[in-house]
Amino acid sequence: MRYCGVLLRDALFSAALLLVVAIPAQAKIQLLASLKPLALIAQEVAGDQADVGTLLPVSASPHDYPLKMSDHKRLRSADLVLWIGPEMESFLARPLANLKPQQVMTAYQLEGLYWPEADEADHHHHHQNHSAHEGKDPHIWLDPRNAALIAQALAERLAQLQPDSAQQFRANAQRFSTLLQQLDEQLMQQLTPVKNRGFAVYHEGYGHFVGRYGLHQVAYVTYIPERRPGAKHLQELRGVLAKEGECLFMEPYYKMDAMEEMAASLDLRVGLLDPIGGQQVSSYQQLLEQLGQGFLTCLADGRNG
Ligand SMILES: [Zn+2]
């Protein structure tokens, strides 16, 4: 009898241990974000309760990236993969379909996301190559209100993975959201004076920022960064910019002599925007502030006003 009692006690003890193993308070959650902006948001929510990794290097196009074997391995071993969705990182759709649903968080599908005004798209209706950005603009993190939504939703997912830290995750997301409200107001104030200055961006990826702060984008050079525009598009672009452009924004990893020549011949200033945030960007706020500064610097001392 005594023997059985010990066995039973051992069995209960083992069961308790198993429960603890399923919810390890001290083991860090392995969180893998597809893109740097998502990793920056995740870092705010996870604090030091998770190891936050970024799948893509900052220099890679988020629309088209050849996954390596090691990338596949990282995806499989992550507790949670945070990505935008097939509208952005189409190359992840297949590998992520092989993971368990609880391993994947798709930001594009979150309820309550903010989208740029529909009339924002009117400027661009004559462009046909929409395959990569089918539907709504997937660069959702460029509106800080969306970053707050992603943070809140992520806090709930992390809370499921590690219930012991649930309160901490929610508090982190709340604190981050409050900071984002201030950042949003600050950007709104800073950018108001340059609202009417016409410009073109390098790739059509800034709709969320442009829409949120009411900026006057008149054109873009290319629909996705790695695709070079055709002659017809460049001609249209030149026409639009000649009429109402003050500034042309390029991106750090794409150099195009034709654009520099066009800017010079039309007397446009050339600015630089990075929607992903370079190596030196270490927080989401910094990423958006830098973007705001990028717009401001180029648009500020306008020849028309
Ligand atoms: Zn893009």
Side-chain angles (χ1 to χ4, degrees):
M1 278 316 268
R2 204 179 74 92
Y3 191 55
C4 282
V6 169
L7 268 185
L8 181 63
R9 206 183 57 208
D10 277 353
L12 283 173
F13 186 61
S14 305
L17 260 186
L18 273 178
L19 277 177
V20 172
V21 168
I23 317 157
Q26 60 284 76
K28 288 197 178 189
I29 296 171
Q30 298 301 306
L31 177 53
L32 183 59
S34 57
L35 313 174
K36 176 157 185 170
L38 292 176
L40 294 173
I41 295 169
Q43 194 59 66
E44 300 283 344
V45 182
D48 41 18
Q49 300 300 112
D51 288 326
V52 179
T54 312
L55 190 67
L56 264 66
V58 290
S59 56
S61 167
H63 304 287
D64 189 16
Y65 178 73
L67 288 169
K68 299 188 286 280
M69 285 302 280
S70 57
D71 295 324
H72 284 283
K73 213 167 147 192
R74 289 178 82 194
L75 287 167
R76 278 194 306 269
S77 61
D79 295 312
L80 186 65
V81 177
L82 172 61
W83 70 318
I84 300 291
E87 296 80 1
M88 170 66 72
E89 317 95 315
S90 50
F91 56 92
L92 279 179
R94 227 196 275 190
L96 291 185
N98 292 326
L99 300 185
K100 296 184 217 104
Q102 63 265 32
Q103 266 178 289
V104 181
M105 178 174 156
T106 307
Y108 192 87
Q109 287 171 357
L110 288 176
E111 263 177 57
L113 285 176
Y114 296 87
W115 300 98
E117 298 284 319
D119 63 354
E120 198 58 40
D122 285 354
H123 293 299
H124 318 127
H125 59 86
H126 55 282
H127 299 282
Q128 296 120 352
N129 264 330
H130 280 207
S131 55
H133 284 200
E134 204 70 70
K136 294 177 282 187
D137 185 337
H139 307 72
I140 53 176
W141 68 87
L142 294 180
D143 184 331
R145 297 171 301 174
N146 287 338
L149 276 167
I150 294 169
Q152 309 273 2
L154 180 61
E156 295 311 314
R157 294 296 297 268
L158 293 178
Q160 284 169 10
L161 284 168
Q162 201 171 82
D164 284 348
S165 308
Q167 268 190 318
Q168 188 60 53
F169 295 139
R170 290 180 186 128
N172 290 348
Q174 195 48 52
R175 182 195 47 81
F176 182 52
S177 301
T178 307
L179 284 177
L180 291 182
Q181 266 172 27
Q182 294 164 3
L183 175 67
D184 189 39
E185 282 165 27
Q186 176 196 319
L187 287 168
M188 194 71 88
Q189 257 179 16
Q190 285 176 332
L191 293 165
T192 298
V194 299
K195 265 179 144 171
N196 300 319
R197 307 271 164 81
F199 62 87
V201 292
Y202 176 63
H203 105 282
E204 175 62 332
Y206 301 89
H208 282 273
F209 195 91
V210 166
R212 175 58 183 155
Y213 302 109
L215 303 177
H216 188 42
Q217 181 182 325
V218 297
Y220 56 81
V221 176
T222 179
Y223 208 75
I224 52 172
E226 60 276 11
R227 191 186 298 153
R228 290 299 162 103
K232 186 166 173 287
H233 178 77
L234 285 180
Q235 204 181 356
E236 286 174 354
L237 180 65
R238 172 178 265 281
V240 174
L241 283 174
K243 228 186 296 169
E244 45 178 341
E246 296 189 36
C247 193
L248 169 68
F249 290 106
M250 295 301 287
E251 292 179 16
Y253 306 103
Y254 302 94
K255 198 174 152 40
M256 239 181 106
D257 293 341
M259 291 320 301
E260 270 153 44
E261 282 157 26
M262 188 189 289
S265 71
L266 293 175
D267 198 21
L268 304 173
R269 291 183 295 280
V270 178
L272 206 59
L273 299 175
D274 186 350
I276 299 294
Q279 208 67 258
Q280 75 289 354
V281 166
S282 60
S283 72
Y284 173 83
Q285 291 99 306
Q286 212 186 337
L287 166 59
L288 248 65
E289 275 167 4
Q290 193 180 317
L291 204 61
Q293 273 310 317
F295 277 108
L296 206 54
T297 310
C298 198
L299 295 174
D301 59 341
R303 59 181 172 200
N304 300 334

